[in-house]
Amino acid sequence: MVYNDMIENEMNFISEQLDHIRAGLRDYSIGAYNRNIIIVSDALKFLDGLEELQKNYCTLPDDMSDEIKRVLDARDRFRSIDMSYNNLYNLSVWLDQKAQYFADCITDYFSSCLDPSRVDMISYFIEFYADERMDESYYINDGILYQTITKKIA
C-alpha cells in the first residue's frame, strides 16, 4: 500500500514535469513497471521546455548545469545567427543529439523515482504516509510505528 501510494504521488509529480517538455516529444512512456523512454522530435521545443523544467523543478542534477547552459546558448545562436547551410545543419544535428541525451538523463531520473528499492521509501512512510494516510490510532516514536488499541469491555 505504501509503495502504491508513493508511486501514485511520484507519477503525479512526473506528469507535472513532463508538461514542460511534452511539446518537443515524439513519444514517451513513463511508469513504475514500464521500460521508460522519452523520444525527442523537436530539439528546440524540447530545449525550451528543459530550460523551464530546470528553473521550476531542477530535475537534472546541478553538475549538469554548465552543460545545459552551453546547449541552451547554442540553441539561441542557432535561432539568431545566419549561417551557411553546412554549419546550420551541423549545429542542428548536435542540438538533436544533446536534446536526446538530456531526455535520456530525465528518463533515468524518472525511472529512479519509481524504483521499488528506493532507500527513501521508509522515509516516505515515516514522513508522509503514516501522518496523512493512517488513522489516529497509529503514531511514530523514534522511527518505530505504534498502534494504540482500545478495547471495549462490556
Side-chain angles (χ1 to χ4, degrees):
M1 289 175 12
V2 173
Y3 175 72
N4 289 336
D5 187 76
M6 185 178 86
I7 293 303
E8 183 178 333
N9 284 335
E10 289 292 335
M11 285 303 299
N12 289 335
F13 187 58
I14 287 169
S15 181
E16 288 175 22
Q17 294 175 73
L18 279 170
D19 286 343
H20 290 282
I21 59 174
R22 199 179 319 262
L25 303 182
R26 177 174 37 130
D27 194 15
Y28 66 92
S29 177
I30 303 292
Y33 305 103
N34 293 359
R35 181 178 167 268
N36 296 321
I37 60 166
I38 297 176
I39 300 171
V40 176
S41 64
D42 185 324
L44 297 178
K45 286 182 182 178
F46 175 83
L47 292 170
D48 291 344
L50 176 63
E51 184 174 29
E52 288 301 311
L53 179 65
Q54 285 301 106
K55 283 181 189 173
N56 295 326
Y57 295 97
C58 296
T59 300
L60 294 177
D62 289 340
D63 62 354
M64 293 183 76
S65 61
D66 289 340
E67 184 177 9
I68 293 169
K69 181 177 179 353
R70 187 170 55 104
V71 173
L72 293 177
D73 289 346
R75 173 207 58 189
D76 295 342
R77 283 192 311 274
F78 180 81
R79 286 184 169 147
S80 64
I81 297 175
D82 184 22
M83 297 183 205
S84 70
Y85 177 77
N86 191 40
N87 288 338
L88 185 65
Y89 175 77
N90 290 339
L91 183 55
S92 174
V93 168
W94 184 80
L95 287 171
D96 288 343
Q97 291 170 345
K98 293 308 274 186
Q100 188 58 57
Y101 167 73
F102 291 138
D104 293 342
C105 292
I106 292 170
T107 302
D108 291 345
Y109 170 72
F110 288 162
S111 294
S112 73
C113 291
L114 300 170
D115 182 359
S117 64
R118 284 179 55 187
V119 174
D120 60 353
M121 193 179 306
I122 292 171
S123 297
Y124 176 82
F125 177 79
I126 292 170
E127 295 171 12
F128 177 76
Y129 189 87
D131 288 338
E132 297 296 323
R133 303 285 196 253
M134 300 175 86
D135 65 40
E136 295 80 31
S137 67
Y138 294 91
Y139 66 95
I140 295 176
N141 187 10
D142 292 328
I144 299 172
L145 178 66
Y146 294 94
Q147 180 180 19
T148 303
I149 299 175
T150 307
K151 290 185 178 181
K152 182 178 178 182
I153 302 176

